[in-house]
Amino acid sequence: MSAPIIEKTPSADSQTGTKKVFVKTYGCQMNVYDSQRMADALAKDGYVETSSMDDADMVLLNTCHIREKAAEKVYSEIGRIRMVREEKRAEGGDLMIGVAGCVAQAEGNEIIKRAPAVDFVIGPTTYHRLGEVVSKAKTGKKVVETEYAVEDKFEHLPAPAKKVMSGRGVTSFLTVQEGCDKFCTFCVVPYTRGSEVSRPVSQIMDEARRLVDAGVREITLLGQNVNAWHGVGSDDREWGLGELLHKLAEVDGLKRLRYVTSHPRDMDDALIEAHRDLPVLMPYLHLPVQSGSDRILKAMNRKHTGDDYRHLIDRIRTARPDIALSGDFIVGFPGETDQDFEDTMQIVRDVTHAAAYSFKYSTRPGTPGAEMPNQVPEDVKSARLQRLQALLTQQQKDFMQSLVGKHMDVLIEKPGREAGQIVGRSPWLQPVICHENVGQVGDIVNVKISQVMVNSLVSDEIATKLGQ
Ligand code: 5AD
Ligand code: SF4
């Protein structure tokens, strides 16, 4: 994401008038996308991105509030940045410090109180005001900008120019939906990102076409609850994500589509059928279940049972037999007994995953879970997480191993680390190391997998070349 800095001397900067911003991103893909958009917006004010704090004029932390650890990290990072700023000031320079993202939205003024070194705080619903906020902060005023109707966000996000988009690679995120109305009792997202808002079809299609024009071949649609996306289609009917995917599949030059992250309750028939009917829709689905216990699912306000989830997976696998699943799991939700945890282990065994993310429950102030009795002790959470992760890791290894000997389409993304290698992406998201002769960046090539490394696959020719 960050441009490498070739010229480091401050005099070169003052000659060109260029300022440098170091954007540090925490958390989910939505933040990755937003960071890019903020960098684009700052580019209009003459900032270029740098990959190092040392030569930056501004540090922008795009933060995550989902678990306590993620939120706390921000304050220790601000402490470190403050030291860098002091060094810079001693040498006559300066460093502006901005906090964006979900901690900004959740804590607002509190951030300035707790970390007075921060110059401005901006929440995800107000990124279109970043330019104004920075200008105000430059006058020495502390600025906190978190109050704005989320509904306006998509209207005001600056769309990057083709020139800016080009050269960013062959894969891209595209936000189609923001916020969440589900109110799972452990989750801060409905409070930090606000209620569900869908981006209009015309805006999505326009951005998709411009991305493809700029060389993108694979688009991942983003949303906190992406499959809750809905909008009025080009036929004036109400569309869901399934219909939107059909429309996007028509974009010339777009070779792959993905979407993340979904809620089981929003997997409607049209979306399941899209997995059956659209070859460009990759056979990989991140569909978190969180727990396998009906009691805990109810307490989490997930509004489905473990068996509902199993039946749903059966239907999806019938529609697209080669689909691989990934998910999120929480252990140690308040009231979780040994039996509840065993039910989670069982659903993992029943469903099987190609990848998964698992977490210890983290109490989030303001969510209903924080007020629930029977909070689970930390050591019990840790022991459960260890067992769950061992099972999930084994499933991931088994999945990778099952690909050995198979031919698959790989989207070539970038040169490899070693000379003569090129790295692509499998339909199931693993990096695939290929021989550079197989094709160019942006091509889809068919290769045979002959070896598995820890997180990547190795194609036949390379494995032969390595003599392995
Ligand atoms: N504690 C632990 N994990 C959480 N997640 C969300 N909120 C919490 C919390 N309070 C996890 C869920 C979600 C993922 C993005 O983060 O599994 O799907
Ligand atoms: Fe959070 Fe639940 Fe909404 Fe996902 S669906 S963002 S876990 S409240």
Side-chain angles (χ1 to χ4, degrees):
M1 250 181 36
S2 313
I5 297 306
I6 299 155
E7 180 57 83
K8 277 195 153 191
T9 53
S11 56
D13 287 350
S14 48
Q15 277 163 20
T16 57
T18 306
K19 289 201 175 302
K20 289 175 182 168
V21 56
F22 173 59
V23 185
K24 186 159 181 181
T25 308
Y26 299 84
C28 63
Q29 293 101 329
M30 184 77 83
N31 271 9
V32 174
Y33 177 90
D34 285 345
S35 287
Q36 189 70 76
R37 280 302 182 84
M38 284 192 277
D40 291 342
L42 288 170
K44 290 185 180 151
D45 296 329
Y47 281 90
V48 294
E49 264 193 277
T50 168
S51 52
S52 137
M53 205 187 298
D54 296 338
D55 62 0
D57 302 282
M58 185 201 298
V59 176
L60 186 55
L61 300 178
N62 193 3
T63 60
C64 172
H65 201 245
I66 198 95
R67 283 169 290 274
E68 193 182 353
K69 245 193 206 158
E72 282 306 308
K73 249 190 226 164
V74 175
Y75 290 100
S76 44
E77 185 64 18
I78 294 169
R80 268 195 298 274
I81 301 168
R82 197 168 53 87
M83 308 292 279
V84 175
R85 172 154 83 186
E86 270 163 28
E87 278 168 31
K88 279 181 186 272
R89 282 185 175 167
E91 290 166 10
D94 209 347
L95 184 64
M96 180 173 273
I97 307 175
V99 177
C102 292
V103 176
Q105 190 67 38
E107 299 187 6
N109 274 314
E110 282 305 305
I111 296 178
I112 306 262
K113 277 197 203 140
R114 200 173 147 189
V118 171
D119 297 297
F120 67 90
V121 174
I122 185 162
T125 56
T126 38
Y127 289 157
H128 52 281
R129 290 194 171 175
L130 184 60
E132 280 167 56
V133 167
V134 171
S135 305
K136 240 193 250 172
K138 275 184 183 158
T139 67
K141 257 189 212 144
K142 301 277 178 194
V143 191
V144 177
E145 183 69 79
T146 53
E147 303 289 327
Y148 205 83
V150 71
E151 285 75 10
D152 293 323
K153 172 165 183 167
F154 293 131
E155 296 303 324
H156 295 81
L157 267 177
K162 180 176 170 184
K163 194 173 71 186
V164 176
M165 283 179 168
S166 295
R168 276 194 188 152
V170 293
T171 62
S172 177
F173 293 127
L174 195 175
T175 294
V176 300
Q177 182 276 343
E178 267 230 49
C180 182
D181 293 336
K182 297 282 190 294
F183 290 94
C184 298
T185 52
F186 51 81
C187 186
V188 287
V189 167
Y191 313 98
T192 52
R193 290 280 177 161
S195 57
E196 267 176 33
V197 188
S198 292
R199 199 167 176 193
V201 175
S202 55
Q203 268 190 34
I204 297 168
M205 295 306 297
D206 181 52
E207 186 165 334
R209 286 194 197 98
R210 284 188 308 112
L211 285 168
V212 172
D213 241 24
V216 167
R217 295 291 165 258
E218 173 179 306
I219 291 179
T220 301
L221 305 181
L222 285 186
Q224 266 96 23
N225 222 184
V226 70
N227 59 343
W229 179 90
H230 58 96
V232 180
S234 45
D235 55 5
D236 280 340
R237 285 189 312 117
E238 180 75 6
W239 283 4
L241 191 66
E243 286 87 355
L244 180 67
L245 286 164
H246 271 273
K247 188 76 187 162
L248 283 162
E250 292 170 9
V251 173
D252 229 14
L254 181 58
K255 296 177 180 170
R256 288 182 162 185
L257 277 167
R258 305 178 186 275
Y259 60 93
V260 74
T261 183
S262 297
H263 193 290
R265 282 176 55 82
D266 291 318
M267 287 303 298
D268 63 13
D269 291 347
L271 185 51
I272 295 174
E273 283 159 18
H275 279 281
R276 182 193 62 198
D277 298 336
L278 295 176
V280 291
L281 184 55
M282 289 296 97
Y284 184 93
L285 178 60
H286 183 71
L287 192 63
V289 67
Q290 313 293 355
S291 167
S293 152
D294 290 349
R295 230 173 51 80
I296 296 298
L297 285 168
K298 189 154 196 262
M300 287 177 163
N301 193 32
R302 295 289 292 180
K303 297 205 172 82
H304 64 78
T305 64
D307 277 349
D308 292 337
Y309 186 81
R310 287 180 179 86
H311 292 145
L312 177 60
I313 298 303
D314 285 348
R315 287 175 55 217
I316 296 168
R317 285 205 162 121
T318 305
R320 183 81 204 230
D322 64 344
I323 203 157
L325 288 168
S326 112
D328 295 337
F329 296 89
I330 295 177
V331 299
F333 185 79
E336 186 186 73
T337 62
D338 286 344
Q339 184 54 51
D340 293 320
F341 173 66
E342 292 307 327
D343 291 346
T344 297
M345 293 292 279
Q346 192 53 47
I347 207 164
V348 171
R349 282 185 211 105
D350 292 344
V351 170
T352 68
H353 298 77
Y357 305 89
S358 46
F359 314 99
K360 288 193 264 187
Y361 171 70
S362 166
T363 310
R364 306 312 290 127
T367 61
E371 309 299 321
M372 288 183 185
N374 304 321
Q375 298 282 332
V376 175
E378 216 35 47
D379 57 334
V380 176
K381 286 186 201 170
S382 299
R384 288 180 186 166
L385 188 66
Q386 213 176 6
R387 272 189 64 205
L388 176 61
Q389 288 187 336
L391 177 60
L392 290 166
T393 305
Q394 189 54 50
Q395 291 193 344
Q396 180 173 355
K397 278 189 189 157
D398 293 346
F399 179 78
M400 301 266 285
Q401 207 57 48
S402 76
L403 299 175
V404 173
K406 288 204 173 127
H407 281 89
M408 65 176 64
D409 284 345
V410 169
L411 171 62
I412 303 295
E413 289 185 357
K414 56 184 179 195
R417 261 193 234 140
E418 309 284 328
Q421 296 184 352
I422 198 156
V423 180
R425 184 83 47 186
S426 87
W428 304 281
L429 279 179
Q430 297 82 14
V432 184
I433 303 166
C434 304
H435 193 278
E436 64 179 352
N437 289 348
V438 293
Q440 311 266 323
V441 170
D443 289 349
I444 300 231
V445 295
N446 195 269
V447 301
K448 187 178 171 196
I449 302 303
S450 60
Q451 201 181 313
V452 170
M453 310 232 288
V454 184
N455 289 312
S456 47
L457 304 168
V458 183
S459 83
D460 220 15
E461 308 82 352
I462 285 289
T464 318
K465 219 171 173 238
L466 292 173
Q468 284 161 347

